Amino acid sequence: MAVGLEHYLILSAVLFSIGLYGALAKRNAIIILMCIELMLNAVNIAMVAFSRYIVPLLLTGQVFVIFIMVVAAAEAAVGLAIIISIYRSRETIDATKIDLMKW
Amino acid sequence: MNLELFLPELTLAAFAIIVILLDLVIQRKGWLVVVSLAGVVVAAGFTIIMWGGSSQAIFNNMLAVDNFALFFKLLFLAIAALVILASVDYVSKFTRFQGEYHALVLLSALGMMLMAATAELISIYIALELTSISLYVLVGFLKDPKSTEASLKYLLLGAVASAVLLFGMALVFGFTGKTQLGEIAQAIQALSLSGVLASPGLILGIVLMIAGFGFKIAAVPFHMWVPDVYEGAPTPITAYLSVASKAAGFAIILRVFYSAFGLPQWLSLDWGMLFAVLAAIGMTLGNVVAIPQTNIKRMLGYSSIAQAGYLMVGLATVGFSPAADIVGRSSLLFFLASYALTNLGAFTAIIAISNKLDSDLIQDYSGMGKRAPLLALALTLCLISLIGLPPAAGFMAKFYIFSGAVQHGLLWLVVIAVINSVISAYYYLRVVKVMWLGEPASEEKVPSSGALRLALSLSCLGVLLLGIIPGYIMKLAEVAAKMFVF
């Protein structure tokens, strides 16, 4: 069986859903960050697959993916810095215990 | 290529770097404020020079330099200047990182200016993240438990929202093969209706993009971060978030949906209806939940969710009206300008009062009319403008946006919006009542610095001018709304 665009898209959708589930259900802030990274990588797979099958002569999707990776790295750096700052003031990074403000 | 069309952004970036470097060498940190303001003024000068010229696109049609973008650039620069002025007192208390604070404010303003100008999916994403990442850091700037918690919540939810937005962009790119908004529009118009309905991937992509942008503008149901972040963030940053990041979100939504998904008509009616429903839910939820709040920053957080609802009435109008009609767009721009001045004024007064009280509880504002009559008067004016009563700017803004909606058959939405305005009067006027009729806890006056008084009087002057002679700004908004490159 030949691997086509739809297989990549299914893989991407499954990865995205796993990432979204993890981001909503996990309690450790670092694991939530990792799940967000998973969602971004799912997007990257979809981008590259679309680029390869829809516009094979252009590299639009690949360029997009490089930008996403760069921005994701910057975001992870800021995220980890904020997590360290939280850990210093509370000694926990459990998302369910970071609840000073609630409605 | 005309690099001079990119001068406002280049100026702002250069000044942000200068501020960081200057912070290392000078001892009197007051100069940092002056240098940041100088950067904003120079960038605004370049923007004003370009105003009124013909629309152009630079960087291979990635950035549009049209009056729409210039209008928003001026708005963001004005907001940044007022925020820098209003945070002078606040920042002077920091022992370290004053330079970084101002530089981050400038960099996020740069990101927002790019957001208003971008016409291409990759640069939209970069501009959005430049804004967001600067704001994540600014929200956590105090490093106390509440501020870091707000920052973490903002970052995690913001990152999920941008992942959702990216998935939407991937689908739109996949189904059109383009990333430039004008080319996307052409590709969509070339698709046949039955072809789109048979493979709803494109529609899913558009909906996911609405979800991602909806996070930025605090639209229900993507609003959960708003009250927490507003409460925890440093107050000047709360003011900045509530007006600038919202305006940038609306700018990008207007450009994307108008120029990429504006035609065919059935598509624009679809997303118009989606925004209409989100608007109805947003204003109702925001106003009802604002009523029991005891913290004024949190109350204004819910109020900003409600105001996003009123603004989305304008978006729905844009979706419902034919492309040549500018009523929806120009009234939306007017509302954004008046909301920016009003909320900045309210938050500036709150900064002065909370500096003295060290509390944001509404009950502690008791008797503020006797302790600080001018601050209380300014806050009252801004709250009246938020309700939408004359002579303040909020009245004219709501009048324009609602009459546009009625013209295009959204009477049901306007009825809901008017009922909501009445509900909102309750919690805004409660603050006014506490301030003027309550007994003061002490006789001490509330001091405020010159910079803060300047920011407050500029915002209040703007609120009054927009309320009494709205015609001039409305003309500017109409000029800005007419011009789209693509």
Side-chain angles (χ1 to χ4, degrees), chain B residues 263-318:
Chain B
L263 288 169
Q265 185 76 31
W266 64 266
L267 188 60
S268 90
L269 282 177
D270 272 4
W271 57 255
M273 190 44 113
L274 189 53
F275 279 122
V277 173
L278 287 182
I281 303 172
M283 50 202 176
T284 312
L285 187 133
N287 281 325
V288 170
V289 184
I291 292 175
Q293 300 304 324
T294 53
N295 181 313
I296 194 162
K297 278 162 81 179
R298 212 174 167 77
M299 185 199 92
L300 283 176
Y302 282 106
S303 132
S304 102
I305 296 171
Q307 301 282 342
Y310 302 136
L311 282 158
M312 276 190 289
V313 174
L315 278 184
T317 313
V318 176

Side-chain angles (χ1 to χ4, degrees), chain A residues 4-10 12-13 42-65, chain B residues 121 166-179 199-202 204-205 208:
Chain A
L5 176 57
E6 59 275 19
H7 299 97
Y8 290 107
L9 292 185
I10 290 167
S12 151
V43 173
N44 290 349
I45 292 174
M47 285 280 183
V48 175
F50 275 131
S51 189
R52 173 74 181 75
Y53 284 91
I54 307 286
V55 281
L57 297 177
L58 301 171
L59 289 175
T60 328
Q62 282 87 335
V63 172
F64 209 143
V65 166
Chain B
L121 294 184
L166 277 174
F167 204 75
M169 285 183 174
L171 287 171
V172 170
F173 164 64
F175 280 82
T176 58
K178 306 285 181 199
T179 54
S199 61
L202 178 65
L204 179 64
L208 288 178

Side-chain angles (χ1 to χ4, degrees), chain A residues 75 82 85 90 100 102-103, chain B residues 129 145 148-149 151 298:
Chain A
E75 209 161 40
I82 291 169
S85 157
R90 299 218 198 146
L100 275 181
K102 274 189 195 164
W103 69 308
Chain B
E129 291 295 313
T148 44
E149 174 178 333
S151 175
R298 212 174 167 77

Side-chain angles (χ1 to χ4, degrees), chain B residues 3 39 68 169 384 456:
Chain B
L3 208 54
F68 177 79
M169 285 183 174
I384 283 178
L456 189 58

